[in-house]
Amino acid sequence: MDLHFGDSKPTDEERAAVDALLGPPESSWEGADRTDADLRWARGGRAARDRRDLLLPGLHAINDRIGWISEGALGYLCRRLTVPPAEAYGVATFYAMFSVRPRPSTVLHVCTDLACTAAGASALCDRVEAGLGPGVHVERSPCLGLCERAPAALAIRAGDPVRTAVAAPATAETAVLAATAPDSAPQEPPAALAVPQAGQEGLTLLGRVGVVDPSSLDDYRAHGGYTALRHAFALGPAGVIREVADSGLVGRGGAAFPTGRKWQATASQPDRPHYLVCNADESEPGTFKDRVIMEGDPYSLVEAMTIAAYAIGAHRGFVYLRGEYPRAARRLGHAVDQARARGLLGDDVLGQGFAFDIEIRRGAGAYICGEETALFNSIEGYRGEPRSKPPFPVEKGLFGSPTVENNVETLVNVLPILTMGAPAYAAIGTERSTGPKLFCVSGSVARPGVYELPFGATLGGLLRLAGVRENLRAVLLGGAAGGFVRPDELGIPLTFEGTREAGTTLGSGVVMAFDDTVPLPRLLLRIARFFRDESCGQCVPCRVGTVRQEEALHRIVARTGAEAAGDVALLREVGRAMRDASICGLGQTAWNAVESAIDRLGAYE
């Protein structure tokens, strides 16, 4: 593609897609017909920079309407936003869900990640490709966040409006139907089916899933909704932060940073404005808890974000939502609209004189955007590459302003903290890991899904709830960035400190069980390929190391004895380099699962 304003023109459909987002162009500088005023008018400076963050929504608008992004469409979007075409091209090619080459209007994403691979995804892909004609593009995809219903497929048909359909658990017939007739495909099951404990007494975070109509604000309020926000207004911002700090709540995304400390650091910054960002881009293979909350109890996230914004002094919040979650996008978008219409978002929330609103931004298939600074870059309209730290986001985050970033599970924990009080919340779990925790269980179990347990429950207890099979071979904790444990290690307590002492990690709560029918070397190759594909390429240790890791694993499969031992030694050297020198957590953890499989499971002995 020529990386300047060339002669290619957008089609009427492409213009309409961009104009529906940005409004009609004001002058020929932006693509309108030339007028006399054009000689005296040009958008630039701050006004142009302030629109850069609409680049990602603009790319979505074109891709949703047409199915791919042509040179003419990209050039028109760049004129509208005053973005250099070379930079926009770099952004468009960064994301897996976009294409800058012609392709059919229907794309069928078939997950080939860990849970789906164990459930026969490779054979499913072969059958689907044989059953579809040239009018559908089949994409072998990383995790779609539907691990409890593996194998999974997601069909997206471009148009106005864009149509989506999910087949999970997928057969060749249901996947083909989703791709060829998305409007006729069976509806997705209720979110409650992903919660085996749904309806049980004593659930704190999942208590409303399957009980409350996710589309009804009145039903949410009838089941305790917005009680926590009223408590927050009674406590005041400092009181809310004190309650969160006293509860011992730490981030549930894997880093386990104290939430109260993060909120206090942001609230105390003199620079304005402050921003709140909800990280709903859970792309870790095996993770789907945030999707279940947004689909089954979306108003809880809206309320929790309002409380967090009130505490830190933010008046604008963003939800960065996985592009592969169409139902969550619809449910959460409806909840935001209803809350705004009822005075629970906007200029005067609940008549308290506090202004706050939420904007949903869709990701487009980039695991690295789960890293907070890469997420900020993505929202701002740049490639989703991590930033060097310091400065930390509490000082210079989104748009260079103080920012709090939390994931969905972390935020919804704020509601029970305010309703039951910090001491009662802290009494749940253990001294250093307080409160309830959500676990995503998938793989070789009878009842996969999201489970809520207090911190301190054992891995074996969780697997018994899920109905683990007798011929268990290994358990992967923490997803692709986590580590394997043996069947004789099921007494590990599910706490941050307990897993750390056991030489593994809790991560975001992924628990994937594999029986002895799943070939371990194939899983390790899939993990290595995942990290190779998802590396943003910004730093050398990760960009080169993930490739060398996959190459060595391919060689080991075909070798034995001393030859294999040499490649294992090389893997260790590459793994240490990635862990010590990579700029962000992706490269730092890319070796974890392979290392644990070699050391704990004897994968290549």
Side-chain angles (χ1 to χ4, degrees):
M1 182 180 287
D2 199 4
L3 303 184
H4 59 77
F5 288 118
D7 296 329
S8 298
K9 303 297 183 183
T11 66
D12 291 343
E13 276 289 288
E14 290 167 342
R15 279 180 174 270
V18 174
D19 292 348
L21 174 72
L22 303 178
E26 298 179 24
S27 83
S28 64
W29 291 86
E30 293 186 317
D33 294 334
R34 181 174 292 276
T35 67
D36 292 338
D38 288 336
L39 297 177
R40 301 186 300 274
W41 184 97
R43 187 186 299 276
R46 181 177 297 276
R49 291 192 295 272
D50 285 347
R51 289 159 58 92
R52 174 70 185 247
D53 70 293
L54 295 176
L55 179 59
L56 183 58
L59 293 171
H60 267 298
I62 298 168
N63 201 73
D64 286 350
R65 182 78 67 95
I66 310 301
W68 67 288
I69 301 166
S70 72
E71 182 179 347
L74 186 65
Y76 181 64
L77 179 62
C78 289
R79 287 187 184 279
R80 296 297 319 274
L81 297 178
T82 321
V83 172
E87 293 186 21
Y89 180 80
V91 173
T93 54
F94 186 83
Y95 298 98
M97 296 184 74
F98 296 150
S99 175
V100 295
R101 294 180 176 85
R103 67 180 180 184
S105 61
T106 300
V107 178
L108 180 66
H109 300 268
V110 181
C111 178
T112 59
D113 227 311
L114 301 178
C116 290
T117 289
S122 295
L124 173 64
C125 282
D126 294 337
R127 293 195 298 272
V128 167
E129 288 172 339
L132 285 171
V136 177
H137 174 71
V138 178
E139 186 82 25
R140 295 180 183 238
S141 170
C143 184
L144 295 174
L146 296 163
C147 313
E148 84 281 10
R149 289 183 272 150
L154 167 66
I156 303 175
R157 175 173 290 181
D160 184 22
V162 64
R163 291 172 172 80
T164 61
V166 168
T171 63
E173 293 74 20
T174 58
V176 168
L177 179 63
T180 56
D183 293 334
S184 302
Q187 288 189 342
E188 286 192 71
L193 286 188
V195 182
Q197 300 165 302
Q200 293 182 12
E201 293 290 330
L203 295 179
T204 301
L205 305 178
L206 300 176
R208 280 185 287 260
V209 178
V211 176
V212 170
D213 177 0
S215 66
S216 173
L217 177 56
D218 290 331
D219 203 9
Y220 175 73
R221 298 184 77 166
H223 287 80
Y226 283 95
T227 302
L229 180 58
R230 294 185 183 278
H231 280 302
F233 283 136
L235 289 169
V240 171
I241 294 175
R242 185 168 54 251
E243 283 289 290
V244 172
D246 291 347
S247 73
L249 176 66
V250 298
R252 300 301 202 242
F257 190 84
T259 304
R261 191 189 307 173
K262 180 186 288 190
W263 288 16
Q264 179 59 54
T266 305
S268 63
Q269 292 295 321
D271 292 346
R272 290 291 190 274
H274 293 179
Y275 290 106
L276 172 69
V277 175
C278 171
N279 184 347
D281 190 54
E282 53 170 5
S283 303
E284 185 72 46
T287 311
F288 49 94
K289 54 187 173 60
D290 291 351
R291 170 182 64 81
V292 171
I293 291 173
M294 290 185 289
E295 291 180 351
D297 192 17
Y299 289 102
S300 66
L301 179 58
V302 176
E303 181 183 5
M305 288 185 67
T306 309
I307 293 170
Y310 175 66
I312 67 171
H315 300 292
R316 190 178 181 192
F318 292 86
V319 178
Y320 190 87
L321 178 64
R322 276 199 77 178
E324 297 92 339
Y325 283 177
R327 183 165 72 169
R330 291 192 299 270
R331 293 267 174 91
L332 191 60
H334 175 77
V336 168
D337 290 343
Q338 289 297 303
R340 189 182 296 121
R342 301 277 288 274
L344 299 168
L345 289 174
D347 294 335
D348 188 14
V349 176
L350 278 178
Q352 297 292 320
F354 171 65
F356 177 65
D357 212 338
I358 295 172
E359 186 174 346
I360 299 173
R361 291 291 177 92
R362 291 160 55 205
Y367 170 74
I368 188 64
C369 288
E371 197 277 336
E372 58 184 357
T373 60
L375 186 157
F376 299 155
N377 277 340
S378 183
I379 291 177
E380 291 176 16
Y382 298 92
R383 290 168 61 88
E385 296 174 340
R387 304 172 184 173
S388 296
K389 292 182 281 192
F392 294 98
V394 296
E395 302 166 314
K396 300 289 183 182
L398 185 64
F399 304 120
S401 295
T403 304
V404 160
E405 181 267 354
N406 290 126
N407 74 348
V408 174
E409 184 187 357
T410 305
L411 287 165
V412 297
N413 267 276
V414 173
L415 304 182
I417 289 172
L418 293 185
T419 53
M420 69 172 59
Y425 180 91
I428 302 171
T430 67
E431 182 178 354
R432 288 189 286 172
S433 297
T434 63
K437 178 74 183 80
L438 300 182
F439 297 94
C440 305
V441 185
S442 60
S444 303
V445 294
R447 295 176 294 278
V450 180
Y451 288 82
E452 179 185 322
L453 293 175
F455 274 115
T458 64
L459 176 58
L462 173 59
L463 289 175
R464 283 191 293 274
L465 278 178
V468 68
R469 297 171 189 167
E470 293 182 359
N471 53 340
L472 184 66
R473 171 73 172 89
V475 179
L476 180 60
L477 283 179
F484 286 96
V485 298
R486 301 185 304 272
D488 62 354
E489 297 179 294
L490 301 187
I492 293 175
L494 295 174
T495 61
F496 292 112
E497 65 274 13
T499 52
R500 189 163 49 247
E501 290 167 4
T504 185
T505 179
L506 190 64
S508 60
V510 175
V511 178
M512 304 182 77
F514 299 102
D515 60 30
D516 55 14
T517 65
V518 180
L520 190 57
R522 189 173 70 182
L523 286 181
L524 297 181
L525 275 171
R526 184 64 187 89
I527 291 172
R529 186 165 70 251
F530 171 81
F531 282 111
R532 180 206 67 192
D533 291 343
E534 296 296 339
S535 172
C536 73
Q538 180 181 199
C539 67
V540 173
C542 180
R543 182 177 69 243
V544 177
T546 52
V547 174
R548 297 291 174 261
Q549 177 173 263
E550 186 190 18
E551 291 173 345
L553 288 172
H554 273 293
R555 290 194 300 268
I556 289 173
V557 170
R559 293 178 175 179
T560 57
E563 289 183 330
D567 275 318
V568 170
L570 175 63
L571 277 172
R572 293 188 187 280
E573 185 177 349
V574 169
R576 283 195 297 269
M578 289 193 292
R579 183 176 292 164
D580 293 343
S582 295
I583 194 173
C584 79
L586 186 150
Q588 294 162 12
T589 60
W591 154 244
N592 286 359
V594 178
E595 179 185 35
S596 64
I598 293 171
D599 293 342
R600 301 179 89 116
L601 304 180
Y604 298 110
E605 292 178 358

